[in-house]
């Protein structure tokens, strides 16, 4: 069974569209995250949710909106996509916060044309 | 300048060599992660450290909180160790700051 799963794996879309990426973890963890990895392979935290509550909201454009319907799911919705949004987006989970081991999903490669 | 710096950026080694990757950070932290990103893109957590040293197989990670420095060592390196190694510092509650990564290539 996959611990942290993301769908879709690849997403190609045009500028201006709205898209969503879904994430699910079956580890029973309390905390879930979205990370962005840019073209230079640099990782940056975007959001962190703990038990469905938003904890971290880094300086991310408000076109990005995370939604956590329950503690096993954290989805990322992106409005009005821009070329600069092209990146690999990783979902991750940990038992309780960033001081605990992180379990990463396989990543979603978003390409905006 | 990034709050978390890694060196070297790129590293090539022959199979069997001892490898050291360094991570320095400029902020106070409570913990530090070492991650491995495979050539296929997947990311795996190797260690989470708050003090001292941890060992797992051929991998050893050390941290000196006072000196703001951590190292990842690989003994008897193997081509399957080829990957990008990333350190990530925990500077506060629920925060995580990533290093720039070290790309390792181990040749047979």
């Amino acid at each position: 069974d996959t611990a942290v799963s993301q769908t879709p794996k690849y997403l190609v879309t045009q500028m201006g569209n709205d898209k969503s990426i879904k994430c699910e973890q079956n580890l029973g963890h309390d905390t879930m995250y979205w990370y962005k990895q840019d073209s230079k392979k640099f990782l940056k935290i975007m959001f962190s949710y703990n038990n469905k509550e938003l904890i971290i909201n880094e300086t991310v454009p408000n076109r990005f909106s995370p939604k956590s319907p329950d503690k096993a799911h954290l989805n990322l919705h992106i409005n009005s996509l821009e070329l600069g949004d092209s990146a690999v987006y990783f979902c991750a989970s940990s038992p309780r916060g960033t001081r605990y081991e992180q379990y990463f999903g396989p990543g979603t490669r978003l390409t905006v044309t | 300048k990034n709050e978390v710096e890694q060196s070297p950026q790129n590293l090539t080694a022959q199979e069997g060599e001892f490898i050291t990757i360094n991570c320095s950070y400029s902020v106070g932290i409570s913990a530090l992660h070492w991650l491995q990103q495979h050539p296929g893109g997947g990311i795996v957590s190797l260690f989470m450290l708050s003090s001292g040293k941890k060992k797992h197989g051929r991998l050893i990670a050390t941290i000196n909180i006072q000196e703001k420095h951590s190292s990842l060592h690989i003994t008897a390196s193997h081509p399957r160790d080829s990957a990008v190694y990333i350190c990530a510092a925990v500077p506060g509650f629920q925060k995580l700051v990533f290093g720039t990564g070290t790309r390792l290539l181990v040749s047979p």
Side-chain angles (χ1 to χ4, degrees), chain B residues 2-4 11 14 17 19 28 33-34 37 40-41 44 57-58 66 70 87 89 94-95:
Chain B
N2 202 34
E3 290 175 297
V4 181
L11 184 55
Q14 291 289 319
E17 285 185 7
I19 286 160
H33 297 264
W34 280 102
Q37 185 164 27
V44 173
R58 295 179 296 104
Q66 287 77 21
S70 176
C87 66
Q94 295 282 31
K95 291 199 177 291

Side-chain angles (χ1 to χ4, degrees), chain A residues 35 37 56 97-100, chain B residues 30 33 37 48 94-96:
Chain A
Y35 298 104
Q37 187 171 45
I56 292 176
T98 52
R99 293 199 75 231
Y100 292 82
Chain B
S30 58
H33 297 264
Q37 185 164 27
M48 197 288 293
Q94 295 282 31
K95 291 199 177 291
L96 202 59

